[in-house]
Amino acid sequence: MASVMPVTVYPPDEDGGRRVRVDGEILGRAYGLRDVAEFLRRAGIEDVDESWVEASGLIEWRGGGPDTWGR
């Protein structure tokens, strides 16, 4: 892992997406674990995949955990 940065995934919005914030910056809206993993890779967190996202204790999930997505 390149570094440990604060990661927050917000509750699903009306379209079913969840905002993803890394180190204080909103990186985008995720519609599943694959999207979250991609945002984290782009932020410089290496070797991230969907399984890591789902199991990681480093992510603060608001409004439901990694299995909570809208629509």
Side-chain angles (χ1 to χ4, degrees), residues 1-69:
M1 207 67 36
S3 67
V4 178
M5 296 180 261
V7 178
T8 305
V9 179
Y10 290 89
D13 62 20
E14 63 280 352
D15 293 327
R18 299 178 75 166
R19 285 182 301 140
V20 177
R21 185 177 74 192
V22 176
D23 202 23
E25 180 181 348
I26 298 291
L27 299 184
R29 190 181 331 185
Y31 291 91
L33 297 176
R34 180 177 296 169
D35 295 336
V36 176
E38 181 60 26
F39 289 139
L40 297 180
R41 279 193 295 273
R42 291 179 186 179
I45 302 174
E46 299 172 0
D47 301 323
V48 175
D49 62 13
E50 293 172 58
S51 298
W52 185 93
V53 169
E54 189 171 36
S56 177
L58 300 176
I59 299 174
E60 178 185 351
W61 295 92
R62 296 185 181 174
D67 59 341
T68 303
W69 299 92

